[in-house]
Every structure is written in structure tokens, then in C-alpha cells.
Amino acid sequence: SATTRKRRPGEGDDLYHFVTEEEFSLHLKEDKFLEWAQVHKGARYGTLLSEIIPPIRQGKTVVREVDVQGFQSIRHHKSFASGKTYKLYTIFILPESEEQLLRHIQGRAPMAPEELSRRIGSMKKELEVAHENDVQIKNIEGKLEETIVEVEQAICD
């Protein structure tokens, strides 16, 4: 992802392209994103077409993790809408429970009560669209390997 958020301590360049607001806006203007979103009314994140489409054209399966906003954008993107150019297959990873997800959110970093409330609202909205995906897989705490196997099976089927 390209992102405008600040780099966290110890974070390298292996997961994100850290860009300025101006660079992100230029990418938008030049239609370089498959999807993009402003997350929690803060930083913007986007998936660059240049990292997705070329491998698909080479016959590769591309796995991409996006939030619900990204999912909505991709499924309506001209390359994927109604299977026009490329096939889109979606998997929604569900939390074990809302309580478990809330513990995870609170454990990531300290946040103000208003921010926590906003994130809880986002969590509830996101869980409402799980049924719109091709497959839903529950990620049980402490059973990551089993979840990975389920995801791999869903991709290979």
C-alpha cells in the first residue's frame, strides 16, 4: 500500500510506500490506484495498479489484503466489475468474536476514548459486509496456522 500515515518505530519499506499528501493526491489525479481510502478520518491508503495488474496479466494469482472500503472500490473498479477483465474472488477474515477484536484494537496502541468509539463503529460496519464476500473464514485466537490453511484452501478451490 501507499500511505500518508507516519512511519512507526522500526517499520521498514517492505509493507508500505510512505508518501506525502501531495504525492498521494498526484497518484489519485493520475488514476494510479486500484482502490484507496481514508481510514478512521486520518491517513490515506491505496493499492497501486502497477503492483496488481502486471502479475495478473502474467497469469499469477494476486492476494491482496484490504479493508471494507477497499473491497467495495475494487469490486466496482472497471477491471473487476462483473468479471469484465479479471476475476475477483473475495475472502472475509472474521474475528473470533467482537470482544476479541475489540481487545486486539485496544492492545495495538493507546487511543483516546473518542478514537476507540470511532473504531468500534467502524468495526461494526465492516462486519456487516462479511456476507457480501465469496467466503468468510473465522480467525480463532491462537489458531493462526489453521486459519492460514483455510485461506489457502479457499484460494485453491
Side-chain angles (χ1 to χ4, degrees), residues 88-135:
L88 178 64
Y89 183 75
T90 59
I91 301 170
F92 194 102
I93 308 296
L94 290 160
E96 182 174 342
S97 65
E98 287 187 23
E99 294 77 21
Q100 181 268 340
L101 182 55
L102 184 57
R103 283 192 305 274
H104 176 75
I105 291 169
Q106 291 175 306
R108 281 183 71 194
M111 65 183 74
E114 301 81 29
E115 175 67 13
L116 179 59
S117 178
R118 189 170 34 254
R119 296 230 178 162
I120 290 170
S122 292
M123 172 187 78
K124 290 182 183 289
K125 280 184 178 177
E126 290 179 2
L127 291 173
E128 289 174 4
V129 301
H131 72 279
E132 296 176 22
N133 288 260
D134 297 304
V135 175

Side-chain angles (χ1 to χ4, degrees), residues 27-150:
H27 287 333
L28 277 173
K29 183 179 175 185
E30 295 174 351
D31 201 25
K32 290 187 176 181
F33 288 115
L34 173 60
E35 61 82 28
W36 73 276
Q38 187 166 16
V39 180
H40 306 297
K41 298 183 181 178
R44 293 187 288 177
Y45 292 79
T47 301
L48 293 163
L49 282 163
S50 62
E51 294 188 357
I52 302 298
I53 300 303
I56 291 174
R57 286 185 180 147
Q58 295 169 4
K60 296 179 181 177
T61 298
V62 175
V63 177
R64 179 74 179 108
E65 178 267 327
V66 295
D67 68 3
V68 170
Q69 293 175 51
F71 159 68
Q72 298 291 4
S73 294
I74 292 170
R75 77 181 197 169
H76 295 335
H77 188 275
K78 62 186 176 192
S79 296
F80 293 97
S82 303
K84 288 186 179 174
T85 307
Y86 306 110
K87 180 173 174 20
L88 178 64
Y89 183 75
T90 59
I91 301 170
F92 194 102
I93 308 296
L94 290 160
E96 182 174 342
S97 65
E98 287 187 23
E99 294 77 21
Q100 181 268 340
L101 182 55
L102 184 57
R103 283 192 305 274
H104 176 75
I105 291 169
Q106 291 175 306
R108 281 183 71 194
M111 65 183 74
E114 301 81 29
E115 175 67 13
L116 179 59
S117 178
R118 189 170 34 254
R119 296 230 178 162
I120 290 170
S122 292
M123 172 187 78
K124 290 182 183 289
K125 280 184 178 177
E126 290 179 2
L127 291 173
E128 289 174 4
V129 301
H131 72 279
E132 296 176 22
N133 288 260
D134 297 304
V135 175
Q136 299 86 41
I137 296 173
K138 191 176 281 194
N139 185 22
I140 306 297
E141 189 79 33
K143 302 213 179 249
L144 180 60
E145 291 303 318
E146 289 88 337
T147 302
I148 291 170
V149 167
E150 282 189 65

